[in-house]
Amino acid sequence: PGFAGATNDSAQKPTIDLSWEPDMEPRVAGYRIYRHDLDGDATNAWQQLNSVLVPSATYRDLSVMAGRRYAYRVTAVSDAGNGSAPSEEVVETAPTQ
């Protein structure tokens, strides 16, 4: 977790950076990132964060709220559009300051 944005404190937003071991399958087109807001409404299930496949094994979530806990998981997508099983979940809390 960290902050992104302008250098003055009022304009900085909390972020959570994700990284994972890349899928070594040669036909991987990219990754889908999913998030669950653990402190939010119980009906807020897993939501896909990216509309375009992420080409590398890193992602910066700029849409988190300070102090909230989030769970993440990733799927690899093949050139044919087939998705893998989800990765194990990881949990992180967005920073407050």
Side-chain angles (χ1 to χ4, degrees):
F3 293 92
T7 56
N8 66 27
D9 292 340
S10 64
Q12 289 193 329
K13 297 174 66 173
T15 66
I16 295 178
D17 289 334
L18 305 171
S19 64
W20 56 92
E21 289 294 322
D23 189 314
M24 299 311 291
E25 172 65 40
R27 293 174 289 199
V28 169
Y31 301 92
R32 290 187 183 123
I33 317 305
Y34 297 89
R35 179 181 75 193
H36 182 115
D37 183 348
L38 298 175
D39 294 330
D41 186 349
T43 61
N44 182 14
W46 290 101
Q47 295 180 338
Q48 184 176 330
L49 295 179
N50 55 318
S51 57
V52 176
L53 292 177
V54 174
S56 62
T58 62
Y59 183 80
R60 174 172 275 184
D61 188 355
L62 297 168
S63 63
V64 296
M65 294 177 63
R68 290 184 88 136
R69 291 178 315 122
Y70 297 95
Y72 294 90
R73 64 185 184 190
V74 176
T75 61
V77 180
S78 72
D79 289 338
N82 299 317
S84 70
S87 65
E88 292 185 29
E89 297 174 21
V90 295
V91 175
E92 188 61 76
T93 302
T96 57
Q97 290 183 339

